[in-house]
Amino acid sequence: MTGTTAPTTDGEPGRGTTGEGIPTTSARTASVARTVTDVLQPRNVLLAGMLGIGLAAAGGDWTGLLWGFLGALCAGLIPAGYIEWERGRGTWGDRHVVDRTKRAPIFFVILGSIGTGSVVMVLGNAPTGILVAMLALWVMTIGLLAVNTVWKISVDSAVASAAVSLLAVVHSPWWTAAYALTAAVCWSRVALGYHTVAQTLAGAGLGAATTVAYVFV
């Protein structure tokens, strides 16, 4: 039937086809949203963002990239690896861990990983800018953990917002234009049915608040 939404057949939001095998509008939207949320997932955003923050914090010196990679490793790659490990054990269905009551272990892994990375940075005399970014992400994670105990806040939106905000502080205000990517992440999370608008906005707001850390530098 023309103009109707086909039923979901594989358990994913908005998936389906018309009787002629042509993707419905909702299916196409879901496909775009899925691509956005996968490309701009936390580990990828943090890898790009922390490299940029490290380079800027080091005044353009190449060693800043090494500190940035350490930051990305601890804040994004190790937690992502933990999630994949738990998925392999059958603990969670995918990286999104849609049941908020099962998310606490992830936050504790992130806190431990960022904390360890921060200690290494202090001992290695890392640039102040990258160290402050790490501590800001650590505090943000505490905020996410606290809110998650009663409400499902969006972690993807928080990370996307934090990366842009931190880059704008340590590099250039022009980076605020990249908030278009943060908006895209928020949209994708809502479009896929993982979060409400309020949950993504709350996450983005918490991510932006990480810049307050630089007031104390």
Side-chain angles (χ1 to χ4, degrees):
M1 294 175 62
T2 304
T4 60
T5 301
T8 299
T9 57
D10 57 3
E12 295 189 20
R15 288 297 176 88
T17 58
T18 62
E20 294 77 21
I22 301 173
T24 63
T25 300
S26 60
R28 287 193 293 269
T29 298
S31 178
V32 173
R34 175 68 59 184
T35 299
V36 170
T37 204
D38 285 345
V39 172
L40 298 178
Q41 63 179 284
R43 68 181 181 188
N44 296 339
V45 170
L46 286 169
L47 179 58
M50 294 303 278
L51 287 175
I53 292 170
L55 187 62
D61 187 86
W62 69 271
T63 56
L65 292 175
L66 298 180
W67 291 118
F69 180 75
L70 174 61
L73 179 68
C74 295
L77 300 181
I78 289 177
Y82 168 70
I83 292 174
E84 290 301 318
W85 178 67
E86 288 287 12
R87 283 184 61 190
R89 297 175 61 215
T91 306
W92 303 311
D94 59 22
R95 76 167 184 86
H96 303 287
V97 191
V98 294
D99 184 353
R100 69 172 179 79
T101 63
K102 296 181 179 180
R103 289 182 166 187
I106 303 173
F107 291 121
F108 287 121
V109 167
I110 296 173
L111 289 172
S113 184
I114 293 179
T116 301
S118 297
V119 171
V120 172
M121 287 184 179
V122 171
L123 295 177
N125 294 315
T128 300
I130 187 67
L131 178 58
V132 172
M134 287 285 281
L135 295 177
L137 291 174
W138 192 81
V139 172
M140 182 187 79
T141 302
I142 292 179
L144 290 170
L145 173 60
V147 174
N148 188 76
T149 61
V150 295
W151 194 53
K152 188 182 175 185
I153 191 170
S154 174
V155 176
D156 287 56
S157 300
V159 171
S161 177
V164 173
S165 298
L166 293 173
L167 280 168
V169 171
V170 302
H171 192 274
S172 167
W174 285 104
W175 272 102
T176 55
Y179 253 102
L181 297 179
T182 301
V185 170
C186 292
W187 167 80
S188 71
R189 305 304 288 173
V190 174
L192 291 171
Y194 293 132
H195 290 285
T196 64
V197 172
Q199 290 166 349
T200 60
L201 291 179
L206 185 57
T210 57
T211 57
V212 174
Y214 288 93
V215 173
F216 301 99
V217 178

